[in-house]
Amino acid sequence: MKFCSECAQPVSLLIPPDDNRPRFVCEHCGTIHYQNPKMVIGSIPLWDADGESRVLLCRRAIEPRYGYWTLPAGFMENDETTDEAAMRETMEEAGARVELHELFSLLNVPHVHQVHMFYRATLLDLDYSAGVESLEVRLFSESEIPWNEIAFPTVSHTLKQFFADLNRIKSEGGCYRLHTRDLRKPMRQDT
Amino acid sequence: MKFCSECAQPVSLLIPPDDNRPRFVCEHCGTIHYQNPKMVIGSIPLWDADGESRVLLCRRAIEPRYGYWTLPAGFMENDETTDEAAMRETMEEAGARVELHELFSLLNVPHVHQVHMFYRATLLDLDYSAGVESLEVRLFSESEIPWNEIAFPTVSHTLKQFFADLNRIKSEGGCYRLHTRDLRKPMRQDT
């Protein structure tokens, strides 16, 4: 941020009175430009048939991570709820209609100023199709998931926890639980 | 938003290519200025003593809702996790040290572009004190809570659900669960 979005004068990075961290401040009109984390919301669309549980993944047609697989997810928009964001992204990226269930995972990614959330969902039919941000959309059983080609750690972690819960519920009963985790920037390996 | 924060030229409200909603776009440098919901994160600090369960509330020293009571909470900052935000706000507003537990409530407030989240917490000692944004800080048992003087519906809802879970657990056992709710703008009563 270089200029004030209210009056077009240059902004300064300084700690406002009664605050404790640097903000972009316009010393001309007094506006403080706060910057806050964003939410990335998605779903885990499940299709149960012929004794097999499969999850719908999208292969990304955009950067970052072009060509890698992800759960349908994207930035939450103003004027919508987290549930609405999850259903909208599932429709936009995978052309998929789902019944949404409860929040399954909440993952902090503080170094990119993001919080990712994934909702459990049941796919309502097989009429899905790739949206403009996806190259293809496909159902995967646990053994078919391309673990080395998953776009983001928040998606790998959510899928692993999801299948762990699913397998436990199938064998022992019980229910899904909320999984929370902080995914910090990996330490660089100096060689 | 009136001007581009990157080049100071006036912005236009228009739907960018491959998008489906209006954004503030700079037609001079091409920057798209996305606006997204913000997270308000807080805690429910519990103090159990002499057979009574009490929760720490803060009386607001700032607008909106000056003089009304709230759970310690505030906007999540960049570079922190949701847990860290909850503990920081509890310290800043109530001067209170807590052990943080799991996420208790997630409340969508779409008309103000906010998602509120409250974590269960145990107060570690009674050395709390009002921060600069609080007039006073006090422990309340369920029967003492000033329901008509609670600052925000997300706080009332969280407190009601919290004491309902607490009473159920005391009488029947079991555990707390995640409470989610959408709190939409109340319809205006035309008289």
Side-chain angles (χ1 to χ4, degrees):
Chain A
M1 159 159 257
K2 296 173 192 156
F3 301 98
C4 178
S5 54
E6 293 305 306
C7 77
Q9 295 299 306
V11 291
S12 311
L13 194 61
L14 51 87
I15 300 175
D18 286 335
D19 203 339
N20 53 24
R21 62 188 71 207
R23 313 281 182 187
F24 288 109
V25 175
C26 177
E27 296 182 88
H28 181 75
C29 76
T31 302
I32 303 171
H33 298 279
Y34 295 97
Q35 296 184 320
N36 302 88
K38 296 189 177 191
M39 281 166 280
V40 172
I41 318 256
S43 77
I44 313 161
L46 181 67
W47 182 257
D48 256 316
D50 308 324
E52 193 148 46
S53 298
R54 293 187 293 168
V55 161
L56 197 67
L57 300 183
C58 310
R59 201 152 73 86
R60 288 173 64 82
I62 52 169
E63 294 292 349
R65 307 294 276 161
Y66 180 99
Y68 284 75
W69 291 91
T70 184
L71 287 163
F75 287 106
M76 184 177 174
E77 300 280 2
N78 280 349
D79 300 308
E80 69 182 359
T81 66
T82 46
D83 297 55
E84 288 165 351
M87 294 187 69
R88 177 182 53 73
E89 289 290 346
T90 305
M91 174 52 71
E92 284 180 7
E93 299 197 349
R97 280 154 296 277
V98 291
E99 182 191 349
L100 211 71
H101 309 300
E102 81 286 357
L103 184 64
F104 179 78
S105 63
L106 186 154
L107 308 117
N108 282 288
V109 200
H111 59 284
V112 291
H113 317 317
Q114 291 178 2
V115 176
H116 292 207
M117 295 184 215
F118 292 93
Y119 281 83
R120 272 206 319 116
T122 303
L123 198 55
L124 293 179
D125 56 58
L126 294 176
D127 297 333
Y128 51 79
S129 63
V132 291
E133 297 187 356
S134 303
L135 296 170
E136 59 177 311
V137 177
R138 233 195 81 185
L139 284 169
F140 291 89
S141 66
E142 183 178 9
S143 64
E144 292 169 336
I145 288 187
W147 293 107
N148 294 326
E149 295 164 47
I150 298 294
F152 306 107
T154 56
V155 173
S156 308
H157 181 74
T158 295
L159 286 170
K160 279 176 189 157
Q161 298 297 324
F162 179 75
F163 280 108
D165 272 20
L166 183 73
N167 294 334
R168 177 180 47 76
I169 291 165
K170 279 184 180 173
S171 65
E172 304 167 23
C175 56
Y176 293 93
R177 65 176 189 83
L178 176 66
H179 296 265
T180 61
R181 185 149 172 185
D182 301 339
L183 293 166
R184 296 182 189 273
K185 190 172 187 167
M187 298 299 282
R188 185 167 154 202
Q189 293 284 342
D190 288 317
T191 51
Chain B
M1 158 159 256
K2 297 172 192 156
F3 301 98
C4 178
S5 55
E6 293 304 306
C7 76
Q9 295 300 306
V11 291
S12 311
L13 194 60
L14 51 87
I15 300 175
D18 285 336
D19 203 338
N20 53 22
R21 62 187 73 207
R23 313 281 183 187
F24 288 109
V25 175
C26 177
E27 296 182 88
H28 181 76
C29 75
T31 302
I32 303 171
H33 298 278
Y34 295 96
Q35 296 185 320
N36 302 89
K38 296 189 177 193
M39 281 167 280
V40 172
I41 318 256
S43 77
I44 312 162
L46 181 67
W47 182 256
D48 257 316
D50 308 323
E52 193 148 46
S53 298
R54 292 187 293 168
V55 161
L56 198 67
L57 300 183
C58 309
R59 200 152 74 86
R60 288 174 65 81
I62 51 169
E63 295 292 352
R65 308 293 276 161
Y66 180 99
Y68 285 74
W69 292 91
T70 185
L71 288 163
F75 287 106
M76 184 177 174
E77 300 280 2
N78 280 350
D79 300 309
E80 69 182 359
T81 66
T82 47
D83 297 54
E84 288 165 352
M87 295 187 69
R88 178 183 51 74
E89 288 290 346
T90 305
M91 175 52 72
E92 284 180 5
E93 299 197 349
R97 279 154 296 278
V98 292
E99 181 190 349
L100 212 70
H101 309 299
E102 80 286 358
L103 184 63
F104 179 78
S105 63
L106 185 154
L107 308 117
N108 283 288
V109 200
H111 59 284
V112 291
H113 317 317
Q114 292 178 3
V115 177
H116 292 206
M117 296 184 215
F118 292 93
Y119 281 83
R120 275 206 316 116
T122 303
L123 198 55
L124 293 179
D125 56 59
L126 293 176
D127 296 333
Y128 51 80
S129 63
V132 291
E133 297 187 356
S134 304
L135 297 170
E136 58 177 313
V137 178
R138 233 196 80 185
L139 284 169
F140 291 89
S141 65
E142 183 178 9
S143 64
E144 292 168 335
I145 288 185
W147 294 107
N148 294 325
E149 295 165 47
I150 299 294
F152 306 106
T154 57
V155 173
S156 308
H157 182 73
T158 295
L159 285 170
K160 278 176 190 156
Q161 297 298 324
F162 179 75
F163 280 109
D165 272 21
L166 184 73
N167 295 333
R168 178 180 46 77
I169 292 164
K170 279 183 181 174
S171 66
E172 304 167 22
C175 55
Y176 292 92
R177 66 176 188 84
L178 176 65
H179 297 265
T180 60
R181 186 150 172 184
D182 301 339
L183 293 166
R184 296 182 189 273
K185 190 171 187 170
M187 297 300 282
R188 189 169 151 200
Q189 292 284 340
D190 287 316
T191 52

